[in-house]
Each structure stands twice: as C-alpha cells, then as structure tokens.
Amino acid sequence: MTQLQLCNLALGKIAQLPITSLASTTDASAIALNREWEAALEEFLAEAPWNWAKTRDTLTEESPAPSFGWLSRFALPSDFVTLIGLNEVYSDTPSDLWEIEGGYIYT
C-alpha cells in the first residue's frame, strides 16, 4: 500500500474526499497530511513491535562515558523509533539495564 492510498483510507474514515497527490500545495487535505505524516507514522510504529518495521543495528560507544549513574552511552540511530530489546532483554521486561534519554541509550 502506498502512502497516498493509506492517506486516502484515513480521509475516508472521516468522510473526506480522496486526494490525487500528496505533492499538492493547494489541497488542504494534502497539506495537512504532509504536515502530520512523520509524527503519525512514528506514533503508529511505536505502538507495537511490527515485524515488517524492525531493524537491527550495532551501536558504537560514545566518549566520554557519562558522569552520572551509567557506565556507557551509545548514540541512537537517526531513524530510531522505539527499543524492542537489548542483548536478549526485551523492553516489556522490567529492567534497570538501560535508559533512553536525549538521543542516547545509557547502559
């Protein structure tokens, strides 16, 4: 399904006419959909560990080490949405092994 098709499904749910292009600079629906797309997509992706949207990454330890509470910090990938697991510990398991803050994961 394309982004345009998905947007038109959403418009149909709120009884709005479909759009023909997301590139329109005059169609109010297209303008609104373009404005909200990234935030809505990120929120949707964070709702569940969608198999089709998972990626794995190897992170590089940042220097210097944090000066508070943690031994290491790693910059999160630019396309990071949510953490599913870290070294076989999954985010739905209570853990004090990591914390995510300000674009970094602290361990």
XYZ file of all heavy atoms in Angstrom:
837
model
N 0.848 -1.175 0.000
C 0.000 0.000 0.000
C 0.895 1.240 0.000
O 1.863 1.312 0.736
C -0.909 -0.014 1.226
C -1.808 1.196 1.296
S -3.045 1.134 2.599
C -4.055 -0.187 2.038
N 0.569 2.194 -0.810
C 1.356 3.420 -0.895
C 0.937 4.411 0.181
O -0.137 4.285 0.791
C 1.185 4.087 -2.273
O -0.164 4.567 -2.375
C 1.509 3.125 -3.409
N 1.759 5.424 0.383
C 1.428 6.487 1.325
C 0.137 7.192 0.906
O -0.718 7.479 1.738
C 2.575 7.491 1.416
C 2.333 8.601 2.409
C 3.485 9.595 2.470
O 4.508 9.430 1.809
N 3.320 10.632 3.255
N -0.030 7.428 -0.385
C -1.241 8.078 -0.880
C -2.479 7.220 -0.599
O -3.506 7.729 -0.137
C -1.119 8.366 -2.384
C -2.343 9.004 -3.043
C -2.634 10.381 -2.434
C -2.130 9.114 -4.544
N -2.390 5.927 -0.846
C -3.520 5.041 -0.573
C -3.867 5.024 0.913
O -5.040 5.074 1.285
C -3.205 3.617 -1.051
C -3.158 3.480 -2.557
C -2.606 2.131 -2.980
O -1.712 1.569 -2.345
N -3.147 1.609 -4.078
N -2.864 4.975 1.755
C -3.093 4.977 3.195
C -3.740 6.283 3.648
O -4.689 6.287 4.440
C -1.775 4.748 3.936
C -1.861 4.571 5.439
C -2.756 3.408 5.810
C -0.474 4.373 6.018
N -3.263 7.387 3.114
C -3.851 8.690 3.445
C -5.307 8.763 2.993
O -6.161 9.278 3.719
C -3.032 9.813 2.822
S -1.434 10.072 3.630
N -5.594 8.234 1.816
C -6.976 8.247 1.332
C -7.886 7.348 2.165
O -9.060 7.674 2.379
C -7.041 7.894 -0.150
C -6.680 9.081 -1.021
O -6.941 10.232 -0.670
N -6.066 8.813 -2.154
N -7.360 6.237 2.673
C -8.144 5.420 3.602
C -8.486 6.214 4.860
O -9.619 6.168 5.347
C -7.369 4.155 3.993
C -7.355 3.020 2.994
C -6.424 1.913 3.472
C -8.750 2.464 2.787
N -7.511 6.945 5.382
C -7.751 7.764 6.573
C -8.781 8.851 6.275
O -9.674 9.112 7.095
C -6.438 8.378 7.055
N -8.664 9.490 5.126
C -9.642 10.522 4.756
C -11.041 9.931 4.653
O -12.019 10.555 5.080
C -9.237 11.189 3.433
C -8.036 12.128 3.508
C -7.588 12.517 2.104
C -8.344 13.347 4.347
N -11.149 8.741 4.100
C -12.445 8.085 4.001
C -13.061 7.817 5.368
O -14.279 7.910 5.539
N -12.227 7.506 6.354
C -12.722 7.242 7.711
C -13.347 8.478 8.352
O -14.176 8.359 9.245
C -11.593 6.733 8.614
C -11.046 5.393 8.216
C -12.017 4.296 8.584
C -11.402 2.945 8.280
N -12.330 1.868 8.455
N -12.938 9.640 7.892
C -13.504 10.877 8.450
C -14.397 11.584 7.421
O -14.628 12.785 7.496
C -12.405 11.826 8.988
C -11.408 12.208 7.894
C -11.696 11.201 10.185
C -10.437 13.302 8.293
N -14.887 10.806 6.478
C -15.845 11.277 5.471
C -15.335 12.458 4.648
O -16.069 13.390 4.357
C -17.185 11.610 6.128
N -14.055 12.386 4.259
C -13.468 13.403 3.386
C -13.186 12.790 2.025
O -12.929 11.591 1.912
C -12.162 13.950 3.992
C -12.342 14.677 5.306
C -13.156 15.946 5.138
O -12.869 16.781 4.297
N -14.195 16.073 5.948
N -13.212 13.586 1.001
C -12.914 13.114 -0.347
C -11.443 12.738 -0.470
O -10.583 13.349 0.184
C -13.260 14.194 -1.364
C -14.749 14.529 -1.507
C -14.931 15.723 -2.428
C -15.520 13.322 -2.011
N -11.123 11.757 -1.310
C -9.725 11.379 -1.504
C -8.943 12.467 -2.229
O -9.522 13.332 -2.880
C -9.812 10.106 -2.351
C -11.140 10.170 -3.013
C -12.044 10.950 -2.097
N -7.650 12.406 -2.084
C -6.764 13.333 -2.789
C -6.088 12.582 -3.928
O -6.036 11.355 -3.927
C -5.719 13.952 -1.838
C -4.854 12.868 -1.192
C -6.398 14.805 -0.770
C -3.720 13.388 -0.342
N -5.590 13.318 -4.908
C -4.928 12.682 -6.049
C -3.413 12.733 -5.936
O -2.722 12.001 -6.625
C -5.359 13.352 -7.372
O -5.062 14.741 -7.300
C -6.848 13.149 -7.607
N -2.908 13.605 -5.056
C -1.466 13.738 -4.917
C -1.133 14.317 -3.549
O -1.800 15.233 -3.066
C -0.917 14.659 -6.005
O 0.433 14.955 -5.751
N -0.083 13.790 -2.958
C 0.403 14.364 -1.705
C 1.294 15.577 -1.962
O 1.638 16.300 -1.036
C 1.173 13.313 -0.904
C 0.287 12.305 -0.196
C 1.065 11.072 0.195
C -0.365 12.948 1.011
N 1.646 15.810 -3.201
C 2.523 16.923 -3.549
C 1.771 18.234 -3.731
O 2.386 19.281 -3.927
C 3.302 16.593 -4.812
N 0.453 18.188 -3.650
C -0.343 19.391 -3.876
C -0.025 20.471 -2.842
O 0.121 20.201 -1.659
C -1.836 19.061 -3.804
O -2.595 20.247 -3.892
N 0.082 21.691 -3.327
C 0.294 22.833 -2.420
C -0.976 23.660 -2.278
O -0.974 24.692 -1.612
C 1.436 23.734 -2.944
O 1.110 24.168 -4.260
C 2.756 22.999 -2.939
N -2.076 23.182 -2.897
C -3.339 23.912 -2.812
C -4.454 23.105 -2.148
O -5.420 23.680 -1.671
C -3.820 24.342 -4.220
O -3.935 23.184 -5.042
C -2.840 25.325 -4.838
N -4.334 21.786 -2.110
C -5.357 20.935 -1.496
C -5.114 20.897 0.014
O -4.075 20.421 0.483
C -5.278 19.523 -2.089
C -6.376 18.619 -1.570
O -6.589 18.563 -0.346
O -7.013 17.944 -2.399
N -6.082 21.395 0.783
C -5.926 21.494 2.239
C -5.679 20.129 2.880
O -4.884 20.010 3.823
C -7.154 22.157 2.856
N -6.335 19.087 2.380
C -6.129 17.746 2.936
C -4.697 17.265 2.698
O -4.058 16.717 3.597
C -7.120 16.756 2.335
O -8.429 17.040 2.765
N -4.187 17.458 1.492
C -2.822 17.040 1.176
C -1.810 17.801 2.024
O -0.849 17.220 2.527
C -2.532 17.241 -0.310
N -2.029 19.078 2.205
C -1.127 19.893 3.018
C -1.122 19.391 4.460
O -0.068 19.204 5.075
C -1.517 21.386 2.941
C -1.270 21.902 1.520
C -0.764 22.208 3.969
C -1.899 23.251 1.228
N -2.310 19.127 5.007
C -2.414 18.637 6.383
C -1.784 17.256 6.530
O -1.073 16.988 7.499
C -3.872 18.612 6.820
N -2.037 16.373 5.569
C -1.469 15.031 5.631
C 0.056 15.073 5.562
O 0.732 14.348 6.287
C -2.038 14.165 4.510
C -3.490 13.734 4.719
C -4.102 13.258 3.422
C -3.580 12.667 5.794
N 0.604 15.908 4.718
C 2.057 16.051 4.638
C 2.641 16.580 5.938
O 3.689 16.132 6.397
C 2.458 16.973 3.476
C 2.567 16.214 2.185
O 3.169 15.160 2.139
N 1.968 16.746 1.144
N 1.937 17.526 6.539
C 2.412 18.137 7.785
C 2.446 17.115 8.923
O 3.351 17.123 9.743
C 1.521 19.318 8.150
C 1.971 20.077 9.391
C 1.031 21.208 9.766
N -0.311 20.699 10.041
C -1.421 21.079 9.410
N -1.380 21.996 8.463
N -2.596 20.566 9.729
N 1.471 16.216 8.970
C 1.330 15.291 10.101
C 1.896 13.896 9.850
O 1.962 13.088 10.775
C -0.153 15.168 10.476
C -0.815 16.478 10.832
C -0.198 17.161 12.035
O 0.369 16.475 12.916
O -0.268 18.403 12.097
N 2.304 13.596 8.630
C 2.684 12.233 8.267
C 3.780 11.664 9.166
O 3.633 10.565 9.716
C 3.106 12.158 6.800
C 3.597 10.793 6.432
C 4.886 10.386 6.304
C 2.797 9.631 6.197
N 4.939 9.053 5.985
C 3.659 8.572 5.916
C 1.419 9.397 6.190
C 3.214 7.284 5.636
C 0.965 8.120 5.916
C 1.861 7.082 5.639
N 4.901 12.340 9.309
C 6.031 11.789 10.069
C 5.660 11.514 11.521
O 5.996 10.463 12.072
C 7.252 12.716 9.991
C 7.916 12.737 8.636
C 8.448 11.387 8.198
O 8.993 10.629 9.034
O 8.320 11.078 6.993
N 4.962 12.444 12.168
C 4.572 12.250 13.564
C 3.590 11.092 13.701
O 3.700 10.270 14.621
C 3.967 13.529 14.132
N 2.633 10.996 12.800
C 1.653 9.908 12.856
C 2.323 8.558 12.608
O 2.031 7.566 13.288
C 0.539 10.149 11.834
N 3.235 8.504 11.656
C 3.939 7.262 11.358
C 4.779 6.824 12.551
O 4.760 5.659 12.941
C 4.813 7.433 10.115
C 5.613 6.205 9.687
C 4.689 5.045 9.342
C 6.514 6.553 8.510
N 5.494 7.741 13.153
C 6.323 7.411 14.312
C 5.458 6.895 15.469
O 5.800 5.919 16.131
C 7.135 8.625 14.756
C 8.131 8.298 15.833
C 9.073 9.442 16.119
O 9.555 10.085 15.165
O 9.331 9.685 17.310
N 4.336 7.540 15.708
C 3.428 7.094 16.772
C 2.898 5.693 16.476
O 2.853 4.832 17.358
C 2.272 8.075 16.917
C 1.351 7.739 18.062
C 0.284 8.794 18.258
O 0.506 9.975 17.946
O -0.806 8.417 18.742
N 2.498 5.444 15.247
C 1.998 4.128 14.847
C 3.071 3.062 15.025
O 2.815 1.989 15.579
C 1.518 4.171 13.397
C 1.129 2.835 12.852
C -0.089 2.268 13.202
C 1.967 2.149 11.995
C -0.461 1.022 12.707
C 1.607 0.911 11.497
C 0.394 0.345 11.851
N 4.293 3.333 14.576
C 5.369 2.353 14.672
C 5.723 2.034 16.115
O 6.128 0.910 16.433
C 6.606 2.849 13.919
C 6.480 2.893 12.402
C 7.697 3.560 11.788
C 6.272 1.504 11.828
N 5.569 2.999 17.015
C 5.896 2.787 18.417
C 4.824 1.996 19.169
O 5.066 1.526 20.276
C 6.121 4.134 19.100
N 3.653 1.809 18.569
C 2.560 1.116 19.253
C 2.794 -0.376 19.435
O 2.249 -0.972 20.361
C 1.246 1.318 18.498
C 0.663 2.684 18.675
C -0.676 2.829 17.972
O -1.245 1.819 17.516
O -1.146 3.966 17.888
N 3.560 -1.005 18.576
C 3.773 -2.450 18.645
C 5.076 -2.805 17.936
O 5.554 -2.029 17.110
C 2.605 -3.176 17.981
N 5.643 -3.967 18.247
C 6.870 -4.391 17.559
C 6.544 -5.023 16.206
O 6.620 -6.224 16.021
C 7.481 -5.413 18.526
C 6.308 -5.985 19.243
C 5.307 -4.857 19.352
N 6.138 -4.199 15.244
C 5.744 -4.677 13.921
C 6.913 -5.406 13.260
O 7.978 -4.824 13.076
C 5.321 -3.503 13.046
C 4.307 -2.609 13.664
C 4.523 -1.365 14.171
C 2.914 -2.872 13.869
N 3.357 -0.835 14.661
C 2.347 -1.748 14.491
C 2.085 -3.956 13.579
C 1.006 -1.669 14.825
C 0.756 -3.875 13.913
C 0.224 -2.743 14.525
N 6.724 -6.655 12.888
C 7.799 -7.430 12.263
C 8.317 -6.766 10.992
O 9.508 -6.773 10.724
C 7.330 -8.852 11.948
C 7.249 -9.703 13.190
O 7.893 -9.415 14.193
N 6.450 -10.739 13.152
N 7.431 -6.199 10.202
C 7.832 -5.602 8.929
C 8.605 -4.293 9.107
O 9.229 -3.811 8.170
C 6.609 -5.366 8.045
C 5.548 -4.549 8.718
C 4.489 -5.022 9.434
C 5.446 -3.133 8.770
N 3.730 -3.980 9.929
C 4.308 -2.803 9.532
C 6.204 -2.086 8.255
C 3.906 -1.501 9.784
C 5.803 -0.778 8.509
C 4.669 -0.505 9.263
N 8.585 -3.739 10.297
C 9.245 -2.450 10.508
C 10.493 -2.551 11.375
O 11.149 -1.551 11.635
C 8.262 -1.464 11.148
N 10.845 -3.754 11.815
C 12.004 -3.921 12.688
C 13.308 -3.766 11.908
O 13.408 -4.167 10.748
C 12.014 -5.314 13.314
C 10.966 -5.535 14.356
C 11.112 -6.949 14.908
C 10.016 -7.320 15.844
N 10.139 -8.707 16.311
N 14.281 -3.188 12.565
C 15.650 -3.190 12.050
C 16.577 -3.484 13.217
O 16.252 -3.228 14.368
C 16.049 -1.843 11.418
O 15.946 -0.816 12.394
C 15.182 -1.492 10.225
N 17.722 -3.992 12.904
C 18.751 -4.252 13.914
C 19.922 -3.345 13.612
O 20.193 -3.018 12.462
C 19.205 -5.710 13.873
C 18.109 -6.671 14.233
C 18.586 -8.107 14.071
N 17.492 -9.020 14.278
C 17.243 -9.649 15.411
N 18.042 -9.468 16.436
N 16.211 -10.456 15.513
N 20.622 -2.971 14.670
C 21.754 -2.089 14.478
C 22.808 -2.388 15.523
O 22.484 -2.841 16.627
C 21.316 -0.624 14.591
C 22.147 0.303 13.731
O 23.274 -0.066 13.364
O 21.659 1.392 13.420
N 24.059 -2.158 15.173
C 25.165 -2.239 16.113
C 25.549 -0.812 16.443
O 25.817 -0.008 15.539
C 26.362 -2.990 15.494
O 25.922 -4.306 15.133
C 27.513 -3.070 16.472
N 25.545 -0.493 17.720
C 25.832 0.872 18.150
C 27.282 0.993 18.581
O 27.876 0.050 19.095
C 24.902 1.259 19.303
C 23.410 1.106 19.023
C 22.613 1.470 20.270
C 22.990 1.951 17.841
N 27.845 2.169 18.389
C 29.217 2.439 18.780
C 29.218 3.254 20.063
O 28.504 4.257 20.162
C 29.949 3.225 17.663
O 29.869 2.452 16.459
C 31.396 3.463 18.021
N 30.023 2.827 21.014
C 30.084 3.527 22.299
C 30.659 4.928 22.110
O 31.626 5.123 21.380
C 30.939 2.748 23.289
C 30.901 3.318 24.684
C 31.565 2.418 25.708
O 31.967 1.295 25.366
O 31.679 2.868 26.860
N 30.006 5.895 22.743
C 30.419 7.293 22.682
C 31.402 7.607 23.801
O 31.330 7.040 24.882
C 29.198 8.198 22.840
C 28.152 8.028 21.772
C 28.437 8.853 20.541
O 28.934 9.984 20.692
O 28.157 8.374 19.437
N 32.295 8.537 23.545
C 33.219 9.039 24.576
C 32.914 10.505 24.801
O 32.538 11.198 23.867
C 34.672 8.919 24.110
O 35.068 7.591 24.088
N 33.078 11.027 25.946
C 33.452 10.325 27.176
C 32.256 9.586 27.758
O 31.113 9.828 27.386
C 33.878 11.463 28.100
C 33.046 12.626 27.655
C 32.887 12.466 26.170
N 32.547 8.691 28.710
C 31.491 7.954 29.398
C 30.644 8.940 30.202
O 31.119 10.011 30.593
C 32.111 6.914 30.327
N 29.387 8.612 30.445
C 28.537 9.513 31.236
C 29.125 9.733 32.632
O 29.755 8.844 33.194
C 27.205 8.766 31.334
C 27.268 7.655 30.368
C 28.687 7.400 30.047
N 28.889 10.903 33.165
C 29.408 11.222 34.507
C 28.346 10.988 35.572
O 28.489 11.449 36.686
C 29.882 12.673 34.539
O 28.813 13.534 34.189
N 27.289 10.271 35.223
C 26.190 10.045 36.163
C 25.586 8.663 35.955
O 25.217 8.310 34.859
C 25.091 11.092 35.956
C 24.559 11.111 34.555
C 23.451 10.341 34.200
C 25.178 11.861 33.567
C 22.976 10.341 32.903
C 24.697 11.861 32.264
C 23.595 11.100 31.931
N 25.551 7.840 36.938
C 24.752 6.633 37.003
C 24.971 5.500 36.009
O 24.591 4.394 36.287
N 25.522 5.752 34.841
C 25.696 4.723 33.826
C 27.161 4.631 33.427
O 27.904 5.613 33.519
C 24.849 5.028 32.595
C 23.381 5.062 32.879
C 22.614 6.180 33.063
C 22.520 3.954 33.062
N 21.319 5.826 33.325
C 21.225 4.457 33.334
C 22.686 2.575 33.026
C 20.126 3.630 33.565
C 21.600 1.753 33.234
C 20.336 2.287 33.508
N 27.573 3.459 32.949
C 28.969 3.263 32.547
C 29.227 3.642 31.092
O 30.331 4.013 30.738
C 29.377 1.795 32.769
C 29.317 1.301 34.213
C 29.637 -0.190 34.269
C 30.256 2.097 35.089
N 28.197 3.509 30.243
C 28.385 3.726 28.805
C 27.185 4.441 28.209
O 26.084 4.381 28.742
C 28.534 2.388 28.076
O 29.582 1.631 28.610
N 27.436 5.099 27.055
C 26.331 5.674 26.291
C 26.588 5.438 24.812
O 27.733 5.410 24.348
C 26.123 7.152 26.590
C 27.096 8.068 25.925
C 26.757 9.512 26.221
N 27.712 10.352 25.514
C 27.533 11.609 25.246
N 26.433 12.200 25.643
N 28.426 12.288 24.604
N 25.485 5.260 24.095
C 25.529 4.972 22.666
C 24.524 5.874 21.972
O 23.382 5.991 22.426
C 25.156 3.504 22.407
C 26.042 2.523 23.116
C 25.801 2.179 24.443
C 27.111 1.941 22.461
C 26.611 1.267 25.097
C 27.930 1.026 23.105
C 27.680 0.688 24.431
N 24.944 6.527 20.885
C 24.022 7.366 20.117
C 23.004 6.467 19.422
O 23.350 5.423 18.876
C 24.782 8.196 19.094
N 21.737 6.881 19.478
C 20.685 6.131 18.802
C 20.716 6.429 17.302
O 21.070 7.534 16.890
C 19.319 6.513 19.379
C 19.103 6.102 20.836
C 17.823 6.732 21.368
C 19.052 4.591 20.961
N 20.335 5.460 16.478
C 20.276 5.710 15.029
C 19.306 6.848 14.713
O 18.346 7.087 15.459
C 19.745 4.382 14.461
C 20.007 3.365 15.522
C 19.957 4.091 16.825
N 19.527 7.545 13.630
C 18.681 8.690 13.268
C 17.242 8.288 13.003
O 16.333 9.096 13.174
C 19.265 9.412 12.050
O 19.298 8.518 10.945
N 17.003 7.036 12.603
C 15.637 6.579 12.333
C 15.044 5.800 13.503
O 14.045 5.107 13.362
C 15.592 5.744 11.050
C 16.456 4.486 11.130
O 17.240 4.343 12.109
O 16.371 3.648 10.223
N 15.625 5.929 14.685
C 15.150 5.214 15.873
C 13.736 5.638 16.239
O 13.416 6.821 16.269
C 16.086 5.496 17.054
C 15.639 4.868 18.344
C 15.896 3.536 18.592
C 14.958 5.605 19.287
C 15.481 2.944 19.773
C 14.536 5.028 20.471
C 14.799 3.692 20.713
N 12.879 4.643 16.532
C 11.509 4.910 16.979
C 11.312 4.381 18.387
O 10.899 5.105 19.276
C 10.466 4.299 16.026
C 9.064 4.469 16.578
C 10.578 4.927 14.645
N 11.606 3.103 18.601
C 11.434 2.511 19.922
C 12.361 1.311 20.065
O 12.751 0.702 19.070
C 9.966 2.104 20.165
O 9.794 1.737 21.529
C 9.541 0.948 19.283
N 12.700 0.996 21.281
C 13.576 -0.138 21.558
C 12.723 -1.369 21.834
O 11.823 -1.334 22.679
C 14.459 0.159 22.772
C 15.434 -0.928 23.171
C 16.522 -1.080 22.113
C 16.064 -0.598 24.515
N 13.002 -2.452 21.119
C 12.297 -3.704 21.352
C 13.089 -4.564 22.326
O 12.533 -5.186 23.212
C 12.047 -4.445 20.030
C 11.100 -3.623 19.155
C 11.485 -5.845 20.284
C 10.934 -4.152 17.755
N 14.385 -4.603 22.164
C 15.216 -5.398 23.055
C 16.668 -4.984 22.959
O 17.082 -4.323 22.009
N 17.410 -5.374 23.976
C 18.839 -5.073 24.031
C 19.534 -6.277 24.635
O 19.273 -6.625 25.797
C 19.079 -3.825 24.888
C 20.519 -3.404 25.105
C 21.136 -2.926 23.797
C 20.598 -2.314 26.149
N 20.377 -6.941 23.847
C 21.122 -8.107 24.317
C 20.214 -9.146 24.972
O 20.447 -9.577 26.094
C 22.247 -7.690 25.258
C 23.287 -6.859 24.563
O 23.478 -6.970 23.356
N 23.957 -5.993 25.295
N 19.157 -9.523 24.275
C 18.216 -10.564 24.702
C 17.351 -10.177 25.905
O 16.706 -11.022 26.512
C 18.945 -11.885 24.990
C 19.769 -12.405 23.827
C 18.967 -12.610 22.555
O 17.835 -13.088 22.627
O 19.495 -12.295 21.479
N 17.341 -8.918 26.286
C 16.414 -8.411 27.298
C 15.454 -7.505 26.554
O 15.877 -6.572 25.875
C 17.143 -7.634 28.420
C 16.142 -7.069 29.411
C 18.152 -8.534 29.118
N 14.155 -7.779 26.673
C 13.169 -7.063 25.882
C 12.532 -5.937 26.681
O 12.436 -5.994 27.900
C 12.135 -8.046 25.319
C 12.825 -9.016 24.392
C 13.311 -10.222 24.868
C 13.068 -8.668 23.079
C 14.005 -11.077 24.026
C 13.751 -9.513 22.232
C 14.220 -10.720 22.706
O 14.915 -11.557 21.876
N 12.105 -4.894 25.974
C 11.642 -3.678 26.631
C 10.381 -3.879 27.461
O 10.093 -3.072 28.329
C 11.430 -2.566 25.607
O 10.452 -2.961 24.677
N 9.618 -4.959 27.230
C 8.436 -5.191 28.058
C 8.770 -5.967 29.335
O 7.904 -6.259 30.132
C 7.336 -5.901 27.262
C 7.778 -7.240 26.689
O 8.969 -7.579 26.800
O 6.924 -7.942 26.137
N 10.059 -6.276 29.535
C 10.532 -6.921 30.753
C 11.107 -5.840 31.658
O 11.964 -5.075 31.220
C 11.647 -7.940 30.414
O 11.156 -8.859 29.463
C 12.131 -8.659 31.650
N 10.651 -5.762 32.907
C 11.228 -4.745 33.800
C 12.746 -4.898 33.872
O 13.272 -5.992 34.016
C 10.576 -5.049 35.154
C 9.326 -5.791 34.813
C 9.626 -6.559 33.560
N 13.448 -3.809 33.686
C 14.898 -3.881 33.638
C 15.507 -2.559 34.076
O 14.977 -1.495 33.793
C 15.350 -4.185 32.203
O 16.742 -4.065 32.091
N 16.616 -2.652 34.745
C 17.390 -1.449 35.050
C 18.723 -1.503 34.314
O 19.711 -0.945 34.751
C 17.589 -1.298 36.559
C 18.317 -2.483 37.178
O 18.603 -3.460 36.466
O 18.612 -2.416 38.376
N 18.721 -2.194 33.153
C 19.940 -2.371 32.377
C 20.215 -1.238 31.404
O 21.325 -1.115 30.903
C 19.887 -3.698 31.614
C 19.754 -4.947 32.475
C 19.617 -6.179 31.583
C 20.933 -5.083 33.407
N 19.216 -0.436 31.092
C 19.400 0.673 30.164
C 18.378 1.757 30.412
O 17.362 1.553 31.058
C 19.339 0.220 28.713
C 17.961 -0.138 28.234
C 16.984 0.738 27.831
C 17.392 -1.429 28.124
N 15.853 0.059 27.469
C 16.073 -1.275 27.645
C 17.867 -2.706 28.381
C 15.236 -2.348 27.418
C 17.022 -3.764 28.151
C 15.736 -3.580 27.675
N 18.673 2.920 29.838
C 17.749 4.056 29.870
C 17.958 4.845 28.589
O 19.086 5.018 28.131
C 18.041 4.935 31.087
C 17.155 6.151 31.184
C 17.442 6.962 32.448
O 18.547 6.849 33.007
O 16.565 7.741 32.821
N 16.885 5.317 28.006
C 16.976 6.128 26.796
C 16.678 7.566 27.178
O 15.682 7.846 27.836
C 15.982 5.641 25.726
C 16.389 4.227 25.287
C 15.941 6.602 24.535
C 15.411 3.575 24.355
N 17.583 8.453 26.775
C 17.424 9.877 27.106
C 18.215 10.708 26.106
O 19.378 10.436 25.829
C 17.956 10.121 28.521
C 17.855 11.536 28.995
C 18.427 11.692 30.404
O 18.184 10.834 31.257
O 19.135 12.702 30.626
N 17.562 11.740 25.588
C 18.237 12.736 24.760
C 19.006 12.192 23.574
O 20.100 12.667 23.284
N 18.451 11.194 22.870
C 19.112 10.679 21.681
C 20.193 9.642 21.972
O 20.939 9.259 21.075
N 20.285 9.194 23.216
C 21.277 8.196 23.601
C 20.615 7.068 24.374
O 19.575 7.262 25.014
C 22.352 8.813 24.506
C 23.214 9.809 23.811
C 22.909 11.162 23.855
C 24.331 9.405 23.095
C 23.700 12.088 23.202
C 25.130 10.341 22.444
C 24.813 11.677 22.494
O 25.582 12.602 21.851
N 21.255 5.902 24.328
C 20.881 4.818 25.221
C 22.034 4.662 26.195
O 23.206 4.598 25.801
C 20.562 3.504 24.472
C 20.088 2.443 25.447
C 21.738 3.027 23.654
C 19.440 1.245 24.799
N 21.700 4.703 27.463
C 22.701 4.571 28.522
C 22.637 3.165 29.098
O 21.558 2.628 29.323
C 22.426 5.585 29.641
C 22.624 7.011 29.192
C 21.578 7.740 28.638
C 23.863 7.608 29.297
C 21.771 9.042 28.219
C 24.071 8.925 28.878
C 23.004 9.619 28.341
O 23.204 10.912 27.917
N 23.810 2.559 29.320
C 23.874 1.212 29.891
C 24.877 1.183 31.018
O 25.717 2.051 31.142
C 24.253 0.164 28.832
O 25.568 0.456 28.348
C 23.277 0.131 27.690
